[in-house]
């Protein structure tokens, strides 16, 4: 009987507490399942006293390579879900440690409906791009989107419109999307409605370059955006 109580106690001590909000709201934050799993592994390592696990250590417990783990970690930092802090050890030595507080703070805001519509929209941008590209975004691509948002002050809705325009033109790459957004900026276009009117005029002039009906991708969603349907 004593052995059973000890086993149950050990089992309870080895539990990893996962906020329900993470499982219900991670898509709202622009996260995908591989990122969530890596965050949970980080939380487990931190709980075990390992504050700065290497990508190699993480890769031992997931179906991702060391390189993939490193790229995802960089992406999480760029998305503002994770930070690397410096902690003071005995002897006044500094060590690096992962901190998940940014993630928990974002989850708290989502759970209490304190996140603005603009912030939520920013999170869905990453999801939409990954869906269209059919893969996780690279750190450089994440940095490019953040630059559009933070440096160029382009609204999330307008960035999404640029993505839709690129798909419509069968030119799904970041250079083309960047060119679209910068052209709109030069023309003083700051709203989706202005971008829609500009694109309608362009496609009217270039009717012969419209997407062929035999194209495999279903582009009806992107045609609809020109008609005012989100």
């Amino acid at each position: 009987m004593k052995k059973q109580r000890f086993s149950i106690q050990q089992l309870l001590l080895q539990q990893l507490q996962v906020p329900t909000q993470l499982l219900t709201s991670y898509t709202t934050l622009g996260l995908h399942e591989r990122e969530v799993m890596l965050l949970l592994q980080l939380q487990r390592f931190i709980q075990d006293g390992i504050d700065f696990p290497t990508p190699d250590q993480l890769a031992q417990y997931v179906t991702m390579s060391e390189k993939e783990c490193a790229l995802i970690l960089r992406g999480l930092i760029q998305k503002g879900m994770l930070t690397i802090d410096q902690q003071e050890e005995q002897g006044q030595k500094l060590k690096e440690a992962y901190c998940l507080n940014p993630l928990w703070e974002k989850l708290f805001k989502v759970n209490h409906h304190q996140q603005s519509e603009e912030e939520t929209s920013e999170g869905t941008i990453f999801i939409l791009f990954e869906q269209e590209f059919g893969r996780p975004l690279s750190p450089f691509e994440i940095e490019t989107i953040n630059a559009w948002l933070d440096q160029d002050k382009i609204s999330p809705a307008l960035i999404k419109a640029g993505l839709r325009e690129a798909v419509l033109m069968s030119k799904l790459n970041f250079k083309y999307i960047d060119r679209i957004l910068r052209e709109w900026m030069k023309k003083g276009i700051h709203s989706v409605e202005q971008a829609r009117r500009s694109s309608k005029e362009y496609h009217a002039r270039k009717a012969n370059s419209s997407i062929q009906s035999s194209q495999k991708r279903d582009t009806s969603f992107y045609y609809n955006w020109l008609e005012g349907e989100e």
Side-chain angles (χ1 to χ4, degrees):
M1 183 65 67
K2 290 183 179 180
K3 184 177 180 181
Q4 183 181 12
R5 286 200 298 269
F6 175 78
S7 298
I8 294 175
Q9 181 181 359
Q10 288 297 105
L11 179 64
L12 292 175
L13 290 174
Q14 294 175 5
Q15 297 301 305
L16 178 67
Q17 292 187 351
V18 180
T20 302
Q21 296 96 313
L22 180 60
L23 302 179
T24 58
S25 304
Y26 71 89
T27 56
T28 303
L29 296 177
L31 296 172
H32 56 75
E33 285 77 9
R34 288 153 59 89
E35 291 173 316
V36 173
M37 178 52 65
L38 211 58
L39 287 167
L40 292 177
Q41 290 293 346
L42 278 178
Q43 177 70 0
R44 181 181 65 82
F45 270 101
I46 293 172
Q47 183 174 299
D48 291 342
I50 303 175
D51 297 325
F52 199 64
T54 65
D56 178 60
Q57 289 176 303
L58 291 165
Q60 295 178 29
Y61 299 95
V62 294
T63 59
M64 294 170 270
S65 67
E66 178 182 354
K67 182 178 180 181
E68 289 174 314
C69 288
L71 288 173
I72 291 176
L73 287 172
R74 287 172 57 188
L76 288 168
I77 292 172
Q78 291 172 329
K79 285 183 177 182
M81 303 293 169
L82 181 68
T83 59
I84 298 177
D85 297 342
Q86 288 191 332
Q87 298 180 351
E88 187 174 323
E89 287 186 315
Q90 292 181 350
Q92 296 184 341
K93 291 183 178 180
L94 295 177
K95 69 171 185 177
E96 292 183 324
Y98 284 114
C99 178
L100 277 69
N101 284 342
L103 170 66
W104 307 136
E105 290 171 0
K106 289 178 185 294
L107 282 175
F108 178 82
K109 288 181 181 180
V110 171
N111 188 52
H112 289 78
H113 306 287
Q114 294 176 353
Q115 189 175 42
S116 68
E117 183 179 349
E118 183 77 1
E119 289 174 322
T120 302
S121 184
E122 287 184 12
T124 60
I125 285 180
F126 297 98
I127 297 176
L128 185 58
F129 269 78
E130 288 179 342
Q131 287 174 343
E132 287 306 322
F133 279 79
R135 57 171 174 77
L137 298 178
S138 70
F140 174 77
E141 291 168 340
I142 293 172
E143 185 177 347
T144 298
I145 296 175
N146 284 328
W148 290 335
L149 292 166
D150 301 330
Q151 297 177 18
D152 300 321
K153 304 300 181 183
I154 303 174
S155 70
L158 200 59
I159 293 174
K160 292 178 182 178
L163 172 62
R164 292 165 180 169
E165 181 70 11
V167 174
L168 180 62
M169 295 301 295
S170 298
K171 295 182 179 180
L172 188 58
N173 62 75
F174 270 77
K175 286 185 178 180
Y176 188 74
I177 297 170
D178 185 70
R179 190 162 59 186
I180 290 173
L181 295 175
R182 298 200 179 281
E183 183 65 23
W184 285 346
M185 289 172 64
K186 288 180 182 178
K187 293 181 177 180
I189 294 174
H190 301 291
S191 71
V192 174
E193 185 55 39
Q194 289 175 324
R196 185 177 289 122
R197 288 199 299 267
S198 177
S199 294
K200 277 186 176 181
E201 293 171 1
Y202 174 82
H203 290 295
R205 295 192 303 267
K206 302 289 184 179
N208 60 342
S209 64
S210 62
I211 298 176
Q212 299 297 321
S213 60
S214 59
Q215 185 176 354
K216 292 182 180 180
R217 180 189 294 272
D218 180 7
T219 58
S220 58
F221 175 74
Y222 299 94
Y223 281 116
N224 287 341
W225 97 267
L226 294 176
E227 301 303 324
E229 298 179 15
E230 294 297 324

